[in-house]
Amino acid sequence: MSSFSDKGLLGELEQLVLLAACRLPDDAYAVSIRAEIQVRTGIALSRSSVYVTLDRLDRKGYVRSWLGDPTPERGGKAKRCFQVTSAGRRALAEAERAVARLRPAAIQRTPQ
Amino acid sequence: MSAPPLPSLVHWIIRHLAPREWRESITGDLQEEADRRRRRGARRNDWWSVRAALWMSVRLSIDRRRTHHPAPRSGRYSAGRGFRLDLRQAARGLVRHRGYALTAVLTLAIGIGATTSVFSLTNGLLLRPIAGVDAEARLVTIYLGGGGGSGPMAMRAVDEIAAAAPALAGLAGTGPIAANVEVGGVARRVNAEVVTGNYFDVLGRSVVSAGRGFTRDEGRNPGASPVAVISDRFRQEAFGAASTVVGVSITVNGERWTVIGVATRDFNGPSRTTRTDIWVPVAQFARVLPGYKNVLTSLTSRVFDTLVGRLSAGATVGEVSAQTEVVRTRMSAEKPNDFQLKHWRFLVRPGVVDRDWVGSQLGGSMMLLLGFVVLLLFVSCANAANLMLMRATARRSELGTHMALGASRGRLIRLLLFESLALATAGGGLALVLCALAGRAIEGTVVLQMLPPIDRPPMDWRVFGFAAAVSGIVAVVSGVFPALTASRADVIGALSTSSRTHTAGRTMARRLMATLQVGISLTLVVGALLLTRSMAMRHAIDPGFDPSRVLAFSVEPGLERYDASRVDAFYRQVLDRVRGMPGVRAAGIAWLQPFSPYAGDEEVRAEGHPATDNVSAEYNVVSPGFFDALGLRFVEGRDFRDAELFPPAKVPDSPVIISQSLARHLFGLAPAVGRRIQLHDPEGATRLIEGVVADMRQRRVLEPPDDMLFEPMGEGFAAWSTVLVRLGAPADVVARSARATVAAIDPAMPIYHVATLDAEIARQFSSDTLLADLARVFAAMATLLAAVGVYGVLARTVAERRREFGIRMAIGARPVLVARLVTHDAAWVVAPGLIVGLAASAGLARVIESRLYHVSPWDPFAAGGAVGLVLLVALAAARPAVRRATRVDPAEVLRTS
């Protein structure tokens, strides 16, 4: 309940990005997150959408970010690395539960 | 392997558009992906990276801003939409606060409208360029005059000056005459001008808009066929609006003339205020006014009042003056006995004919009106500022909310600007309507005796622009800035509903402005009351008879080439038939009607007295019935008899009637009837006094009764005269039948100057009447505005002190005390205003002193009445605020604070 009251329910983009970040515990940054979503789901998000979503999640406190070490293949520029926070995980669970509670039985039984 | 770097544009975009903490990583990510793309063989990587960088940076920035400021979109993002939104919001705000908006619009409209109307009127009378005339500033006017007098000039003077004055590129002469013009069986009396053939050429080629002006031959050759140019107004009145009249024949003073041209619209002679309807060339002058001999060659056959010259390039008025003086000296040598040529000079003035005269007659009134109206504009601006300030303070919480929700200052400025501009625009629009109404109301007013009624004054757009701009700036400055500073002060304070945090400075400014309004309106009211009282005093003057019951109309048989016996017969017929008309109690004829601008003087003395005992008297020539028509009582003796009319020649002891005051001057208290008087001219002629009538005011209503001497109409006595009728029926009915009666005697004879004598009196006061009327209107408006100002300030004060009043009442104060507090407050606004206003009105009274008739500038009634009136209005304006203060609910105040 608490997470909805002030920050709203997670949108689908936010859910996708958060879930992808969960899957990349060591190397979650914009490029890899976008690649992960595309590989796993076939959804090709625009780059800017990924950035905007990450930025928003960061400000909401669902992810935390830090600058990694600069590497030469990136022209000496650092990566901005992300890690899902416990609030982020709670928000994900809340969103899933809300959807699950609303979902009618017929849709639940429908095969993928 | 080192990858090729990203284009510098990408770096630039990211540096300038992306949020700071993203800049490094975005750059790195793009570099990484660009390398990967290149390895896959993708082309146009540079283009791709620029696009991606732009898109990412912009979206990140926008998203941040949107989540920071969720409510409105920023101006940079979609200016058009924001603009429309603000416009709509401004309109909605004004509709919601209808009372405020309406008051502000009215206030602005009054200021702008009054200023524009008065300036337009002044401009129309004194300053407006004359239609059709080229480069008016290069025209000069030449009179022959000196020592306050001026006299006509002959055609030869025009020719000689033109030949001897190289400083003039052209010189034309013009002289006014009257003409009876008959078109289609209807006779009209019009003002005509006798002009030189080059008249229209000197003024400007575009003065004649249809047909042509005069040729050289028409101006010089008495035998040329008679031609005339008519005014556009006369064309419309006589022939109908759509007619073309070039080539048409008209009858002028009994002769057939051909119309060869029509003057351009609004050209009525070289002046703003005359109304000339027909121009005829001087060579044919004899045809319209017989009796003038050798008009073209004689030095004494003087037909021109005024010469109009056009300066040569580079020439000055001084040069013309010097050159005309040479001509005068030569002409004077030729005619050594000519008084005028000997003692007068050619006076050369820049500009057109009657500017000086009209200016001297009307300039003072107009300047006063302008002063009044500028004060009114000031009051209206102060009032508008006050209203806006009030609203700005009142909406601190609204603006605070906007800011708290993330509206930028730019947005707020725009919103406030729109509101102020909308008010100013609506005010300006309404002002245009007011101007049109005022123009219609003023149209046809006689502003000066001797001047025709004025046309609708043309709107002066420059003045309108000026007044609208001043009001607009006031509206914007007082609407936008205070609101902004109020909202910047502190959002939290603005949001909290209690208004304890108001700024003392602004309150002070508002009060000061209300005080000033009270002061100015008091000044205007004092001025208006003084002028009104002065008008009342004038209307209370008893001219010696009842002017409202006397109708006057004039005829000029002299224009119809009547010989002396026919004139006599005509007057007898008119007198007989008019006396027989229904609704006529008595009728008589006089050479000079009362209050005529013309005058006759005569020196008289009692028979046997030396010439040093001469008394100067006003001289008039009348028929039997004249005194009955005016209702003048005979103190002694009797009226003339019909048999005494038109004696064949002046014989000794012909009868005269004198006024009571003349009788007293000549004979003291002794009876006058039966005694003789001697006239100065012809020297020594004696007259027998037949009657003495009560005194009357003949020339000026404001001056004490004149000493009057009346003679009976003699043979062929006057080419024109006035019939006076004592009314027993409405004036317009009698006027209509008089017109028909005269037309039945001679269809070509128009009657003119038809008016009751009280209308004649009103004409004498016309400019003062206009001044007093407008002063009253302006004073009323200013007082109304001041009332709005006082009301606004007090309403605001009560709103601000609501809490205080609530607490006072909660701890036992009775409503009377609260009412006293508010009244006290009101007194502090109004009383200083009254003091300032009284001081200022003392100054104003000094200025208008010369226009006051039998009213002291320190008239206690005017000052006291004005103070009382303004005080009353101020009290009425304060009343709602007092009531609201006493109805504050203490419980509610304590709950909410």
Side-chain angles (χ1 to χ4, degrees), chain B residues 599-629:
Chain B
D601 270 326
E602 187 72 65
E603 301 272 305
V604 293
R605 59 180 187 267
E607 189 188 32
H609 282 244
T612 47
D613 283 357
N614 270 348
V615 174
S616 176
E618 285 286 318
Y619 170 80
N620 203 353
V621 176
V622 301
S623 78
F626 167 81
F627 302 104
D628 290 343

Side-chain angles (χ1 to χ4, degrees), chain B residues 732-797:
Chain B
D732 52 334
V733 175
V734 176
R736 254 199 312 278
S737 53
R739 201 177 292 279
T741 302
V742 174
I745 300 169
D746 181 347
M749 183 83 68
I751 69 171
Y752 63 97
H753 218 123
V754 185
T756 56
L757 289 186
D758 60 350
E760 280 303 315
I761 294 177
R763 265 172 187 268
Q764 290 207 343
F765 305 147
S766 45
S767 66
D768 295 288
T769 309
L770 184 73
L771 183 64
D773 287 352
L774 289 180
R776 273 200 302 276
V777 171
F778 295 156
M781 285 175 171
T783 310
L784 192 73
L785 292 179
V788 171
V790 169
Y791 166 77
V793 166
L794 290 180
R796 189 67 213 147
T797 311

